[in-house]
């Protein structure tokens, strides 16, 4: 669980920083229009999951990990990252943004959930190297 919390907090903090950087550069969620720079935000959970699952496999699984084990660890990392990111968004709405509302972010929140699930499956498949035979 320690690995999931470390990498999840790292994803959450970087996502929070990304929100503040986007705001300071004048990019915000307005009228359901997406700026192309926003698409690069998927790199934060992708890189965090990649290194999180890699370190989990190397340190705690001794180099051997099944798909389900990797998927559960991926979801743990994403949940920890999501909690920190939600806290950052609450701070953003409370103290920084006066024009944006949660309704402006709702589509992006669903998109982040969808991207996270897809990345969890992809990274889990990438690092699975132990077959579970059913005889």
């Amino acid at each position: 669980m320690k690995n999931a919390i470390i990498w999840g907090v790292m994803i959450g903090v970087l996502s929070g920083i990304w929100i503040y950087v986007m705001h300071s550069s004048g990019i915000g969620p307005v009228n359901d229009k997406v700026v192309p720079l926003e698409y690069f935000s998927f790199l934060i959970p992708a890189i965090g999951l990649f290194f999180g699952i890699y370190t989990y496999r190397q340190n705690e699984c001794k180099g051997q990990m099944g798909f389900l084990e990797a998927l559960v660890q991926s979801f743990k990392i994403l949940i920890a990252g999501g909690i920190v990111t939600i806290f950052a968004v609450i701070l953003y709405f409370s103290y920084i943004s006066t024009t944006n509302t949660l309704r402006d972010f709702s589509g992006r929140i669903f998109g982040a959930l969808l991207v996270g699930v897809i990345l969890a499956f992809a990274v889990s498949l990438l690092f699975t190297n132990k077959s579970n035979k059913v005889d």
Side-chain angles (χ1 to χ4, degrees):
M1 191 68 175
K2 179 182 172 185
N3 183 57
I5 292 173
I6 290 171
W7 286 100
V9 167
M10 197 173 301
I11 290 171
V13 168
L14 290 175
S15 296
I17 291 171
W18 182 258
I19 291 168
Y20 296 113
V21 166
M22 295 290 285
H23 175 77
S24 66
S25 64
I27 299 171
V30 181
N31 298 332
D32 295 333
K33 293 182 182 175
V34 178
V35 178
L37 186 62
E38 288 183 85
Y39 290 117
F40 288 103
S41 63
F42 88 94
L43 290 174
I44 296 169
I47 292 170
L49 277 174
F50 181 84
F51 287 113
I53 298 301
Y54 177 77
T55 58
Y56 179 75
R57 184 180 78 173
Q58 295 305 108
N59 297 335
E60 297 181 29
C61 297
K62 297 176 183 62
Q64 296 294 316
M65 183 169 57
F67 175 74
L68 189 59
E69 190 175 8
L71 190 62
V72 168
Q73 186 68 17
S74 296
F75 285 140
K76 287 179 188 178
I77 291 172
L78 288 175
I79 288 171
I83 290 170
V84 175
T85 304
I86 288 171
F87 181 71
V89 168
I90 290 170
L91 290 176
Y92 174 75
F93 284 136
S94 299
Y95 298 110
I96 294 180
S97 177
T98 57
T99 59
N100 296 330
T101 63
L102 185 59
R103 187 172 33 165
D104 296 329
F105 271 95
S106 63
R108 285 162 177 81
I109 291 170
F110 178 74
L113 174 67
L114 185 62
V115 167
V117 169
I118 292 169
L119 286 173
F121 277 101
V123 171
S124 298
L125 283 171
L126 184 67
F127 285 110
T128 298
N129 60 358
K130 180 173 78 172
S131 64
N132 295 328
K133 291 184 180 179
V134 178
D135 291 327

